[in-house]
Amino acid sequence: MIAFFTLGTSPYFITFFYNSSYFYDGSYSYFYTFLVLLHCTLISYIVTLLIGLIQHKNTRRVIQILLIGISSILFILNIYCIFELHSLVDSDYIMLMLGTNVNEATEFASTQIPFSIILGIIGVFLSLIVLWLFSMRHPFKLGKKWSIIALGLILICTMKEIYRWGIWRDGPIYHITELCTTLNDYSMPDDSQLKHTPPSISYIDNQEAPTNVVLIIGESFARFHSSLYGYDKLTNPNLKVLYDKSLLFCFDSINAPAPTTSLSLQYMLTTFNREDNKRHITKWYEHHSVIELMKECGFDCYWFSNQARAGNFNYIARVFAESCKQYFFFQREGAMDYNNRYDIVLVDSSYQFVQKLNVQNQHNFIIYHMMGSHFDYDKRYPDEFNHFSENEYLKYPKNQRQILATYDNSLLYNDYVVNQIINIYKDVETIILYVPDHGQDMFRSSPDHHTHGKMNDPVSYAYGIEIPFMIYASPSYQEKHPDVVERIKYCQSHTKAWNSENLPYLIMDLIGVKEINHEDIRSKSVLN
Ligand SMILES: [Zn+2]
């Protein structure tokens, strides 16, 4: 037993440092920080205890080295994310890193990681080595009496842990299991797997497809932060004007299929659904994508993205983009890009392009993939949109005010950009859908969590998938398709729960398709 307290024989300290880096988030209260620290200490101690039980010296060494290696990498990642991105490492970052090739990653590391952070990390590791050498020379041994007292204290802490079970959600084990859940649901095809037989499509006889169908994929928009859905801050002033003119229609009770980008897109943009995923029979890329369906219906497809194009292994969006006639990516590293471009680049880049398209009198399907309100929220809008400030959020706890203000500012900017995109199409026969990939938890499930809904926490998950959903119909569209507009108006006022995983069916419904692959469209369309 005494040996367990000998610092030099275990990876205790590094494990501890990695674990405890989880609470440097600045948004935690001191007491909560203390409890998370306790939680981390306990996990570190149990790990140490288990390793100490291994009799075979070499096996113990190998495990210790592995553990130290992995925890050191996680420690560095955590420190970087917390100090630079003000959030913990999460599945989005891992996805982004998996999708970045080695050259890009080293280039990114050399230009983006501030020297002070590198110095700090080296400092921590040096002091750990000194501590380790010191403990080798002066082993720290407890007598029998003190060992019993220490074990007693740990037991008390464990009881407290179980009592405050919520802390579990901010500890490292939870984050790792969440990451595994996400990665488990995630798979990428190779090129040969993307070749499908063309879908079989049957049309409604009397309906003609519109000139333009536009899909705006937003990012991280929580419905309960939209003034169009009753939020008390005016976050959608421009879209409200369109709404009042009956050009824009808002649907309530809409959920996203997942709380993270990659997972959500694989459902939203293909006929794959969550039921298929549960049954494990098919993968998302074995189903027809909305791009393939639109091509089959005679549409030319174009993709404008302000999110990262990323590397070979990753980024589901890239698979869809590359199947379009033309595609444009304006961001290299995505949310982590420090020279990031604001979403208005989507308007500037597509304006002339669309003017030319409209002259040609074809059917076009244009997709915009926005950076929207991806955290860090304050990186998503220019200074002139710094409209909401901390002082307007006094009814919220202090740690939340600044974050809520920047989030709402990013939504205000989002409102401006979406309105500008709509303006490009206002004089042409166009129907536009705005749907974010998922929502944001925004402190609803716990006073300390504000980014994605957590995969393994039902309350956080539910908030994380609550999204706004809007359809804009241009005046000339409304004139040509009064029957469709009537259906939209009816469904707007008769709330119906709908999941955006059925988006391809809605789009097919809007252009007059009756069946795809002998499957009825209307039952899955929100306009049913
Ligand atoms: Zn997202």
Side-chain angles (χ1 to χ4, degrees):
M1 195 63 68
I2 289 163
F4 300 146
F5 289 93
T6 311
L7 299 178
T9 60
S10 72
Y12 176 84
F13 258 83
I14 295 216
T15 320
F16 176 74
F17 263 85
Y18 146 59
N19 289 338
S20 47
S21 65
Y22 267 108
F23 69 89
Y24 285 126
D25 191 2
S27 59
Y28 292 144
S29 70
Y30 289 117
F31 181 62
Y32 193 78
T33 301
F34 172 72
L35 291 175
V36 176
L37 181 70
L38 216 62
H39 172 94
C40 295
T41 312
L42 188 73
I43 291 170
S44 306
Y45 180 75
I46 291 169
V47 170
T48 306
L49 200 74
L50 291 173
I51 291 171
L53 289 172
I54 298 168
Q55 295 297 323
H56 192 265
K57 199 178 167 190
N58 285 343
T59 314
R60 198 169 63 226
R61 279 267 159 81
V62 169
I63 293 176
Q64 282 177 358
I65 289 166
L66 270 178
L67 206 74
I68 289 172
I70 294 167
S71 56
S72 304
I73 292 167
L74 285 171
F75 170 70
I76 292 169
L77 278 176
N78 270 325
I79 291 291
Y80 175 72
C81 287
I82 288 162
F83 285 97
E84 277 304 299
L85 309 168
H86 310 291
S87 78
L88 300 171
V89 175
D90 79 353
S91 49
D92 264 16
Y93 291 123
I94 303 288
M95 294 292 189
L96 201 64
M97 280 170 218
L98 286 175
T100 309
N101 65 39
V102 179
N103 275 345
E104 283 173 352
T106 38
E107 196 183 314
F108 171 72
S110 62
T111 54
Q112 311 289 8
I113 300 178
F115 189 61
S116 58
I117 286 191
I118 296 172
L119 217 63
I121 289 170
I122 293 172
V124 169
F125 279 98
L126 278 179
S127 44
L128 283 175
I129 290 167
V130 170
L131 203 70
W132 180 70
L133 289 175
F134 180 79
S135 69
M136 290 296 272
R137 276 174 169 247
H138 307 279
F140 172 65
K141 289 190 176 173
L142 292 176
K144 200 176 174 188
K145 193 173 105 190
W146 284 106
S147 292
I148 290 167
I149 292 173
L151 282 175
L153 280 174
I154 285 163
L155 204 69
I156 293 169
C157 292
T158 313
M159 310 261 277
K160 201 155 176 75
E161 279 291 307
I162 292 163
Y163 177 65
R164 287 280 308 221
W165 197 244
I167 301 223
W168 173 251
R169 285 185 274 130
D170 287 305
I173 302 275
Y174 181 87
H175 283 262
I176 289 165
T177 51
E178 180 170 83
L179 210 63
C180 292
T181 314
T182 311
L183 290 174
N184 195 30
D185 277 356
Y186 179 84
S187 58
M188 285 298 289
D190 59 42
D191 281 351
S192 64
Q193 286 169 304
L194 286 171
K195 308 254 178 296
H196 300 149
T197 47
S200 92
I201 287 176
S202 64
Y203 293 91
I204 298 167
D205 293 335
N206 57 2
Q207 196 173 328
E208 206 186 306
T211 309
N212 294 323
V213 176
V214 177
L215 171 64
I216 306 174
I217 305 169
E219 173 65 63
S220 305
F221 194 157
R223 180 167 71 230
F224 46 85
H225 271 256
S226 165
S227 53
L228 282 168
Y229 290 84
Y231 185 52
D232 61 352
K233 304 265 185 302
L234 188 58
T235 47
N236 282 122
N238 291 299
L239 298 183
K240 174 79 165 66
V241 175
L242 297 175
Y243 176 81
D244 288 343
K245 289 181 183 164
S246 281
L247 292 168
L248 183 85
F249 308 93
C250 301
F251 294 76
D252 218 336
S253 306
I254 309 292
N255 281 339
T260 59
T261 308
S262 300
L263 285 182
S264 193
L265 288 186
Q266 71 185 31
Y267 294 119
M268 279 167 61
L269 299 179
T270 66
T271 55
F272 181 64
N273 59 40
R274 287 165 300 156
E275 219 21 69
D276 296 321
N277 190 38
K278 258 188 222 154
R279 283 189 271 131
H280 293 291
I281 300 168
T282 49
K283 302 271 188 208
W284 64 271
Y285 47 80
E286 290 161 359
H287 291 248
H288 285 117
S289 74
V290 69
I291 313 282
E292 286 171 281
L293 296 172
M294 290 302 266
K295 277 185 187 169
E296 191 64 24
C297 297
F299 278 73
D300 286 337
C301 305
Y302 303 95
W303 188 284
F304 291 86
S305 173
N306 196 30
Q307 295 227 355
R309 181 161 176 254
N312 296 329
F313 176 62
N314 184 15
Y315 261 63
I316 285 176
R318 185 174 163 180
V319 172
F320 298 115
E322 289 180 355
S323 66
C324 290
K325 191 173 178 182
Q326 273 179 282
Y327 58 89
F328 309 89
F329 284 89
F330 303 107
Q331 203 87 243
R332 205 189 52 176
E333 296 290 349
M336 291 163 102
D337 198 335
Y338 274 61
N339 307 309
N340 87 80
R341 290 172 163 181
Y342 299 122
D343 274 335
I344 199 70
V345 68
L346 294 168
V347 177
D348 299 339
S349 60
S350 66
Y351 182 79
Q352 294 293 343
F353 190 90
V354 172
Q355 302 309 317
K356 279 183 205 151
L357 284 185
N358 287 339
V359 177
Q360 294 166 3
N361 206 14
Q362 303 153 321
H363 296 298
N364 305 304
F365 180 43
I366 302 134
I367 298 130
Y368 292 92
H369 193 188
M370 302 179 72
M371 186 54 86
S373 298
H374 199 297
F375 61 88
D376 266 350
Y377 311 129
D378 61 355
K379 292 204 180 79
R380 304 296 159 231
Y381 55 89
D383 287 346
E384 46 292 16
F385 283 82
N386 210 344
H387 176 79
F388 300 109
S389 70
E390 259 185 276
N391 305 335
E392 289 160 77
Y393 297 80
L394 296 177
K395 66 176 177 183
Y396 299 94
K398 200 163 183 293
N399 66 317
Q400 301 180 2
R401 292 173 195 162
Q402 174 70 13
I403 295 166
L404 288 170
T406 53
Y407 183 63
D408 287 346
N409 286 331
S410 75
L411 294 178
L412 192 66
Y413 181 62
N414 186 72
D415 175 82
Y416 167 76
V417 175
V418 172
N419 187 50
Q420 291 292 314
I421 294 176
I422 289 174
N423 267 338
I424 301 177
Y425 299 91
K426 67 181 190 327
D427 299 325
V428 197
E429 182 201 357
T430 304
I431 187 137
I432 302 181
L433 311 176
Y434 172 79
V435 53
D437 55 352
H438 52 79
Q440 289 281 269
D441 182 334
M442 297 319 291
F443 305 111
R444 296 287 170 126
S445 70
S446 88
D448 306 293
H449 180 72
H450 67 272
T451 54
H452 289 138
K454 295 174 179 176
M455 297 291 275
N456 298 344
D457 174 348
V459 178
S460 178
Y461 188 95
Y463 281 117
I465 59 171
E466 262 192 29
I467 50 167
F469 177 66
M470 303 165 198
I471 299 181
Y472 167 88
S474 73
S476 60
Y477 178 92
Q478 300 209 14
E479 209 171 282
K480 274 195 172 177
H481 306 272
D483 48 332
V484 180
V485 176
E486 271 320 301
R487 284 172 66 202
I488 294 174
K489 281 182 181 165
Y490 179 84
C491 295
Q492 177 184 239
S493 53
H494 294 77
T495 307
K496 172 192 164 191
W498 187 72
N499 194 293
S500 59
E501 71 175 353
N502 290 321
L503 189 66
Y505 298 94
L506 168 64
I507 293 172
M508 290 291 106
D509 187 12
L510 286 171
I511 63 170
V513 168
K514 198 164 77 179
E515 281 179 357
I516 40 175
N517 302 327
H518 310 293
E519 190 178 10
D520 183 44
I521 295 297
R522 288 234 176 158
S523 61
K524 289 190 170 183
S525 164
V526 74
L527 303 181
N528 182 18

